[in-house]
Structures are given as structure tokens and as C-alpha cells.
């Protein structure tokens, strides 16, 4: 594989997105968890839930700081690495890019107020109300940036004349056909993943011998939220699949290795492809692709052979799709089993196999986010702006991308190490038990 400017630009953008999405996902999902924990703590006058909200908020600030750096890097790379794309689409997507920045500052302002006003209001619900603008800001930030990605999949709101965008309607561009399903999917998966990561932390603490009321309540809350958000994620995935079947059939066909247009199409899980595109060693669910595409086992599903070869996505996205879906159902199953055992009073803190599955659910859920975004981006190939501009036409022709890649890789390595180190030291130096005794001496 030749590392020309196009490939290096793709590699650098992919690396940035893969790193940024970790912090973006946490940034969207954790405020919801903070708000839920504090609300329950106030309503029940429960110091354990209040402490959960405090500690989650404290750690959240570190991830927000790293997310700012990586988010800024994405904006910079759009202009440096994809100048032809920005020349055509820059004015069209300027509004959501600006609104995303505005939403972040809106969130950051209220997050600062929230952090510095603990125990300063006579009515504690006043402090909880500050979580609402934080949640709105974080979710709105995800919404606006997702509309940009949606626009790249189903562009509208402009006309192309002489290589220039004219008759621009930024509102129509933002609320393009892909926006509802993509935003729904991004938000639900972010909420689910954040809850799963926090559940994994609580489960790991219990495995290590910390079995107080604080860890027990943290695990119960996060697992219930993981289960609820997993169900919503499954619904969002179903909506997305039906959208793809109607509007981007080549993307769904590549994900399912579906080559011939037919009714009653089978759903293909994993397997391998030979040089003649013959599928082997797969798990085949008869007619389920048709059901996924249109809620009927007789729905006609367009095959990949209907499209020119140079406009077909890479077939390896099939594995990204399968891994994303498999992990989603694993997290749903693990959280469902926990809730069932907890309800039946059959779960105890010594149930190590289930605890280890909960621990695994956190990083696996984050991997599912990564696999999903790889599928979303690579599944659009060869287009950067579907139907208008291919990736090869949009990339920079300048030199120095390779050196830039190395520098950014070093930056992300340093940021990642610092983030992990600070978070570990932050909570190791102030364990929950000591903080409970300090803040609630009569507990």
C-alpha cells in the first residue's frame, strides 16, 4: 500500500477521530450519569449517590480538557488535510461547526459553575438544576457535529456550479435525511458506553475487595442505566439499518456481504470471502436482512452488484458492523442478567464471573463505538461527500503529512498517559471511604 498524501491524510484523520471519540463519548454520556446520581441522592437524602455525582464530575473535568485538544485538532485537520472538501462544503457546514463550538462553551460555563457551587445552595435541587444545561450542552455538541457527518452521507442544501457551492441553505444542510437516525444512534450509544464504563470501574473495585455500600450502589445504578440505554441503542441501530436500506443501500449491502438484489435476504454474521466473493464459514439467519431493512421477511434488499465497482465500499466493513452489533448485544445481555439476579436477590458481590463480564463491558462498549465509527466512515467510501466528491479528490497534495502524523501520534500518546495518570492519582489519593467520612462524619 502506497503511503501517498491521500492515504497519509486518511491515516492522520482516522487516528485523531479514534482518539477523540473516546473523550467525546465520555463527554456526552457522563453528564447524564452525574445528573441521575445527584437527583437520586437529593430525593433519597443518600450521601452515597451524592458522592458518586461529586467524584464522577471531578473525573469528568479531566476528560473534557483532553477532548478540547483533540476536538481542536480535528478542526485544524479539516482545513489542512482536506482543502478541496472545505472549499466546496466549508460554507455549507459552517453553521453546525460554529454551533458545536458554542454548545461546548455553553457546557463548559455551566460545568464550572456546577463544580464550584457544591453545598452553596440552601435548596440542593438548585445545584442539581445546573446539570441540565451541562447535559444540554454536551448532547447539543454531539448533535451539531453529527449533522456534519450526516451531511457528508446525504448532502443537500446547496448546488454545485463550477466547483463552487451556491444557493446555500445551511438549515437544510444540517437537517439532511441522515441526521435523525445518526443523531439518535450517536446519543444513545454515548449514554450506554458511559454507563458501561462507570459500571466497569465499580465492578473492578468490588473485585479488588472494596465492597462497601458506595460500590454496591454505584454498580446497581450504572448497570440499570446501561440496560436502559442498551435497549435504546438497539432501537437506534434498527432505525439506522432501515435508513441505510432506503437511502444508502450500498453501505448496508457491504456490511452484510449482500451482492444480489433479492427478497427474503439472509443476514450474514462473520464468515470469510474468497476471491470470487463466495461466503464461507458464516452464521446465516434466513431472511433476517430483509426484516432488518423493512420489517418484513419479504422486503427487497438492493445488492452490491447494482453499483459500479469504483463506488462500492470496502467489504471488510462487514467485520466492523458485526463486531459493533455483537458487543451491543453482549452489553445488553450482561446488564440484563445482573438486573435479573439483583431483583431475585441472587447476585452478591462475590459473583466474580459476572463481575468480570461487567468489567469487560466497559472497554468493549468503547470498542463498539470505534468499530461503529469505522463502519460509518469507511462504509461511505470512496466518497467524502457522497455523490459529489471522492476522498482522492479532496485530500491535500502538499508534503509533510507524514511528519505531521508522527507529531500528532506523539501528542495523543502524551495526552493519553497524562489523562490516565491524573485520573488514577486523583481517586487513589482520595478514596471514596475517606471522602465519605470527611463529608458525612455521622454516616
Amino acid at each position: 500500500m502506497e503511503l501517498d498524501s491521500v492515504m497519509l491524510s486518511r491515516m492522520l484523520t482516522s487516528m485523531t477521530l479514534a482518539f477523540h471519540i473516546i473523550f467525546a463519548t465520555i463527554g456526552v454520556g457522563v453528564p447524564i450519569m452525574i445528573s441521575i446520581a445527584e437527583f437520586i441522592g437529593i430525593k433519597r437524602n443518600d450521601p452515597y449517590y451524592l458522592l458518586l455525582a461529586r467524584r464522577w464530575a471531578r473525573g469528568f473535568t479531566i476528560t473534557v480538557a483532553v477532548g478540547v485538544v483533540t476536538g481542536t485538532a480535528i478542526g485544524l485537520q479539516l482545513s489542512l488535510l482536506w482543502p478541496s472538501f472545505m472549499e466546496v462544503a466549508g460554507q455549507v457546514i459552517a453553521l453546525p461547526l460554529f454551533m458545536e463550538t458554542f454548545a461546548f462553551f455553553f457546557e463548559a460555563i455551566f460545568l464550572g459553575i456546577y463544580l464550584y457551587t457544591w453545598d452553596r445552595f440552601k435548596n440542593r435541587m438548585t445545584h442539581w438544576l445546573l446539570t441540565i444545561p451541562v447535559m444540554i450542552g454536551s448532547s447539543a455538541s454531539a448533535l451539531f457535529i453529527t449533522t456534519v457527518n450526516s451531511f457528508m452521507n446525504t448532502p443537500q442544501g446547496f448546488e454545485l456550479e463550477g466547483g463552487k457551492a451556491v444557493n446555500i441553505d445551511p438549515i437544510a444542510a444540517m437537517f439532511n435525511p441522515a441526521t435523525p437516525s445518526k443523531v439518535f444512534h450517536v446519543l444513545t450509544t454515548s449514554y450506554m458506553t458511559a454507563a458501561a464504563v462507570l459500571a466497569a470501574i465499580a465492578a473492578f473495585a468490588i473485585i479488588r475487595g472494596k465492597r462497601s455500600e458506595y460500590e454496591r450502589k454505584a454498580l446497581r445504578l450504572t448497570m440499570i442505566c446501561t440496560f436502559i440505554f442498551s435497549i435504546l441503542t438497539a432501537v437506534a441501530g434498527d432505525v439506522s439499518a432501515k435508513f441505510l436500506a432506503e437511502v444508502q443501500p450500498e453501505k448496508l449491502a457491504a456490511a452484510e456481504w449482500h451482492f444480489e438484489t433479492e427478497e427474503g435476504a439472509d443476514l450474514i454474521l462473520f464468515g470469510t470471502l474468497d476471491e470470487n466473493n463466495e461466503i464461507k464459514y458464516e452464521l446465516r439467519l434466513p431472511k433476517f436482512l430483509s426484516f432488518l431493512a423493512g420489517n418484513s421477511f419479504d422486503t427487497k434488499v438492493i445488492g452490491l452488484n447494482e453499483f459500479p465497482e469504483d463506488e462500492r465500499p470496502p467489504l471488510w466493513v462487514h467485520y466492523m458492523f458485526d463486531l459493533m452489533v455483537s458487543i451491543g448485544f453482549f452489553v445488553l445481555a450482561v446488564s440484563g442478567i445482573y438486573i435479573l439476579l439483583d431483583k431475585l436477590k441472587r447476585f452478591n458481590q462475590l459473583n466474580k464471573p459476572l463481575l468480570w463480564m461487567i468489567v469487560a463491558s466497559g472497554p468493549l462498549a468503547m470498542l463498539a463505538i470505534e468499530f461503529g465509527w469505522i463502519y460509518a466512515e469507511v462504509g461511505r467510501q470512496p466518497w467524502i461527500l457522497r455523490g459529489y466528491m471522492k476522498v482522492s479528490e479532496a485530500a491535500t497534495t502538499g508534503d509533510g503529512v507524514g511528519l505531521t502524523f508522527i507529531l500528532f501520534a506523539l501528542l495523543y500518546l502524551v495526552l493519553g498517559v497524562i489523562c490516565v495518570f491524573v485520573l488514577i492519582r486523583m481517586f487513589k489519593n482520595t478514596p471514596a471511604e475517606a471522602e465519605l467520612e470527611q463529608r458525612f462524619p455521622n454516616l
Side-chain angles (χ1 to χ4, degrees):
M1 181 174 61
E2 184 184 354
L3 293 180
D4 56 10
S5 60
V6 176
M7 182 54 65
L8 286 169
S9 295
R10 290 180 66 184
M11 288 169 59
L12 177 51
T13 304
S14 299
M15 178 177 64
T16 301
L17 286 171
F19 189 68
H20 173 70
I21 203 168
I22 297 170
F23 301 94
T25 299
I26 292 171
V28 173
V30 169
I32 302 289
M33 300 302 299
I34 294 170
S35 182
I36 293 171
E38 185 176 6
F39 183 81
I40 295 173
I42 293 171
K43 283 297 182 181
R44 297 183 181 177
N45 195 27
D46 191 319
Y48 295 104
Y49 287 106
L50 292 173
L51 184 61
L52 274 175
R54 280 181 183 267
R55 290 171 71 83
W56 287 345
R58 201 179 304 148
F60 177 62
T61 58
I62 307 302
T63 61
V64 168
V66 178
V68 171
V69 178
T70 54
T72 303
I74 291 173
L76 176 67
Q77 289 172 18
L78 273 176
S79 299
L80 291 179
L81 302 179
W82 310 103
S84 298
F85 167 73
M86 291 302 291
E87 185 178 357
V88 171
Q91 289 180 298
V92 187
I93 60 174
L95 178 61
L97 289 176
F98 167 77
M99 292 301 294
E100 192 272 338
T101 304
F102 174 81
F104 167 75
F105 280 113
F106 180 83
E107 174 196 2
I109 289 168
F110 281 96
L111 177 61
I113 297 171
Y114 176 81
L115 290 170
Y116 287 102
T117 53
W118 273 98
D119 304 322
R120 292 177 184 267
F121 296 105
K122 188 174 182 180
N123 185 345
R124 289 189 295 183
M125 287 300 292
T126 304
H127 184 259
W128 172 81
L129 287 172
L130 291 170
T131 64
I132 296 176
V134 176
M135 288 188 293
I136 291 173
S138 61
S139 295
S141 182
L143 183 153
F144 290 123
I145 204 64
T146 304
T147 64
V148 175
N149 183 269
S150 302
F151 168 78
M152 295 164 73
N153 284 273
T154 54
Q156 67 174 30
F158 72 104
E159 295 175 8
L160 201 60
E161 292 183 4
K164 300 286 185 181
V166 297
N167 299 326
I168 296 171
D169 183 347
I171 302 299
M174 279 180 61
F175 298 102
N176 58 79
T179 293
S181 60
K182 272 191 169 289
V183 169
F184 184 27
H185 201 280
V186 165
L187 291 179
T188 54
T189 53
S190 296
Y191 301 156
M192 180 198 80
T193 302
V197 168
L198 293 174
I201 294 170
F204 188 67
I206 292 172
I207 289 172
R208 293 187 63 192
K210 296 181 178 180
R211 296 167 184 164
S212 70
E213 189 76 0
Y214 173 81
E215 282 78 24
R216 186 181 66 81
K217 289 186 174 181
L219 184 62
R220 178 179 292 172
L221 173 61
T222 52
M223 288 306 288
I224 291 172
C225 290
T226 299
F227 181 71
I228 293 170
F229 294 139
S230 293
I231 293 174
L232 291 174
T233 295
V235 174
D238 182 68
V239 170
S240 297
K242 288 171 172 54
F243 167 80
L244 291 178
E246 182 180 350
V247 181
Q248 285 184 280
E250 74 282 6
K251 195 171 185 177
L252 182 64
E256 286 303 321
W257 286 348
H258 180 65
F259 296 98
E260 300 294 337
T261 300
E262 61 178 342
E263 298 177 0
D266 296 345
L267 186 70
I268 306 296
L269 296 175
F270 298 102
T272 61
L273 274 180
D274 63 18
E275 61 274 7
N276 298 316
N277 286 340
E278 293 293 327
I279 305 170
K280 298 179 180 179
Y281 314 117
E282 79 280 10
L283 176 62
R284 188 177 291 264
L285 302 180
K287 299 188 177 183
F288 264 79
L289 180 57
S290 287
F291 186 80
L292 186 66
N295 282 339
S296 168
F297 291 110
D298 297 321
T299 301
K300 180 185 285 188
V301 183
I302 298 174
L304 206 56
N305 290 340
E306 300 286 334
F307 301 91
E309 285 194 25
D310 64 342
E311 294 183 10
R312 297 178 191 175
L315 294 178
W316 60 263
V317 298
H318 169 76
Y319 297 112
M320 299 294 100
F321 183 83
D322 283 358
L323 287 168
M324 172 188 68
V325 173
S326 299
I327 292 172
F329 278 107
F330 173 79
V331 174
L332 176 61
V334 169
S335 56
I337 291 169
Y338 168 85
I339 290 171
L340 179 63
L341 292 178
D342 191 55
K343 275 289 184 185
L344 296 174
K345 308 296 184 184
R346 297 290 181 88
F347 178 82
N348 62 68
Q349 295 174 343
L350 300 177
N351 195 332
K352 279 199 172 181
L354 182 56
L355 284 170
W356 276 116
M357 285 192 283
I358 294 170
V359 171
S361 294
L364 282 175
M366 190 62 75
L367 277 176
I369 293 280
E370 299 282 5
F371 294 144
W373 271 106
I374 291 171
Y375 169 61
E377 296 302 294
V378 179
R380 189 183 62 245
Q381 299 299 313
W383 303 104
I384 191 170
L385 192 59
R386 185 171 180 264
Y388 288 92
M389 180 182 290
K390 292 186 176 180
V391 171
S392 57
E393 302 167 341
T396 181
T397 57
D399 298 326
V401 182
L403 176 61
T404 306
F405 178 90
I406 294 171
L407 293 175
F408 272 103
L410 291 172
L411 171 65
Y412 301 148
L413 177 63
V414 171
L415 284 175
V417 170
I418 290 175
C419 180
V420 172
F421 176 78
V422 171
L423 286 173
I424 290 173
R425 296 294 295 179
M426 176 183 288
F427 294 108
K428 191 174 182 180
N429 290 342
T430 54
E433 297 83 358
E435 198 165 348
L436 274 168
E437 188 175 342
Q438 177 186 347
R439 295 186 183 280
F440 308 100
N442 298 323
L443 188 63

